[in-house]
Amino acid sequence: MTISFPHTGSLFPLVFLAWTPLLLVEHNIYRQNYRSGKVLIHAYITFLIYNIGSTYWIYYAIGGEVGAIAAYFLNGFIMATVFLLFHWTKKYVGQKEGYIGLLFFWISLEYVHYHWELSWPWINIGNTFAIAPEIVQWYAYTGVLGGSLWILLVNLLIFKILNNVVFGKESLKVQTPLIYVTAGLIIIPSIISFWSYSTYTETQNQVEVVVTQPNVDPYNEKFSSDVKKQVDKFISKADELITENTAVVLAPETAVSTPFNEATYKNNPVMNYLQKKVNSWGNTALFTGASTYKIFDHKNSRASKPINNSNDFYESYNTSALITKRKPTEFVHKSELVLGVEKIPFSNWFPWLEKLSIQNGGTSGTLGVEDEPKVLKTNGFTFAPIICYESVYGGMIAAQCRKGAEAIFIITNDGWWENTAGHKQHASIARLRAIETERYVVRSANTGISSVINQRGDIVKATEYWVHDGFRENIQLNAEPTFYVKYGDVMGRSFSFISLLILVLTAVRYLKRFGTSI
């Protein structure tokens, strides 16, 4: 699985075989009636390797080494436990029901990974095709979970063929019908997708944008040096590139790195400087990142922290800001937060966990979030404001498109992990958001890969890593909803419900057997 995943091998066709060895091991344990613990051990080793191999780069974040190791072991264990549930269903209900259960359990896990306290959908297996948009254009109907189901189905068919030959002692010739079905399951969706990709006609509604990449060192410069000088790095690029047709300039996540109070932002020198700059640009707006906070006279949320010697509370945010000439600055807060840095899981029940937050530069500890997905409007069009890690959450972005977003603007800082696979994976996964929504995606990275991605997932323009850069590009707006935009993760919701029913059935069958044995 690791060598199939983007930029840790990128050999994506191998994902159709990647699960087969583990399925064969599990079946041998089942046949020999060994203890179920053996399945858990083998599955844990498999998924631990997958977690470490595919996201090894997390370890490169200074100060986050312990958190990275914990993530590898915890997420590997969660995956292994779900695989064990499949084995139990197979053992106590039946083989056919077990393999059906595997499909439902795994898709449910990936769906839950978008919504719970330990949310980590980065390595959901459907993301494997982030570098091959030509063969997954049907993500516009299913989202990433459709790709995960595709992978599992093919692996189960290949396992069935090998099982018949290895354990059933059948000849390979007898497997011909299964081989044809397996080949068809790989080829037919790919051909349909490639046809859709080749014949796709973009919705034409052109807007000019300017993308900046200031390349500020996140460890040694961003949160310790003069903010005005940092801002000038993207302003200078913008001044070079803006034309009278430019609708928006994009600057990256936390481009304004010193926190300020949103209620009094007009008194902030850097925000005043940016407002004057925007005023001088005519109709061009600025979409940028900032570190902000609010003051409350009550505990507003789990992110609220008491102010010393006061009855008030403050709440910090990772914020996107839209600065225009004619109306007050609008702020939207990042809502899908990075575990361990911006969000401490379960700290609403155990507040002392906040002391374990990773100090990774800037504000640490649990941040405040929006109550619901938001969109921003400027110069006659609407866009989805996305900050960094949020770009992995297809369901959230689909919700923003339902609210009218005609393009997706991502601001990020991908300089935490050195020149590893991390920033490349992040940039590639954004291509799947373009396919799911049929919207242009524009990425402005502090450093990493700033890019423009078209409605079918092609990279139109991109920068290099660790360079001060910028570019101007035309994008096409699209307000038409895809099936995925309209209905979201239908598969995830329905599979999760059916998974609960299968779990109940498994528990009932286990209790019956347990009672009989007594």
Side-chain angles (χ1 to χ4, degrees), residues 74-199:
L74 179 58
N75 200 49
F77 181 74
I78 292 168
M79 290 178 164
T81 301
V82 170
F83 193 83
L84 179 63
L85 292 178
F86 138 68
H87 173 73
W88 281 342
T89 301
K90 179 178 171 181
K91 184 175 180 179
Y92 297 114
V93 182
Q95 287 194 56
K96 182 174 68 176
E97 292 83 354
Y99 291 116
I100 292 171
L102 175 60
L103 300 176
F104 284 94
F105 292 151
W106 195 266
I107 299 304
S108 299
L109 167 65
E110 294 199 343
Y111 177 69
V112 167
H113 250 328
Y114 289 111
H115 300 286
W116 72 318
E117 281 289 296
L118 295 174
S119 179
W120 179 238
W122 193 286
I123 57 174
N124 282 2
I125 56 176
N127 287 335
T128 300
F129 302 112
I131 55 173
E134 300 86 352
I135 66 171
V136 289
Q137 292 295 301
W138 41 270
Y139 275 19
Y141 294 91
T142 68
V144 166
L145 297 182
S148 300
L149 180 62
W150 189 31
I151 290 166
L152 290 172
L153 282 170
V154 173
N155 272 278
L156 284 173
L157 284 170
I158 292 174
F159 156 73
K160 177 66 174 173
I161 294 167
L162 292 176
N163 177 53
N164 290 345
V165 173
V166 175
F167 295 119
K169 306 301 180 184
E170 297 178 5
S171 69
L172 194 59
K173 187 175 181 179
V174 176
Q175 311 310 313
T176 301
L178 273 177
I179 293 172
Y180 285 155
V181 171
T182 304
L185 187 56
I186 296 173
I187 294 169
I188 292 172
S190 300
I191 290 175
I192 292 171
S193 177
F194 192 77
W195 175 81
S196 176
Y197 173 85
S198 302
T199 59

Side-chain angles (χ1 to χ4, degrees), residues 38 55 117 181 198 265 298 316 326 358 436 453 465 492 517:
K38 286 183 176 289
T55 56
E117 281 289 296
V181 171
S198 302
Y265 77 90
H298 61 282
S316 298
R326 295 181 177 85
I358 297 169
E436 290 168 345
I453 302 164
Y465 176 77
S517 66

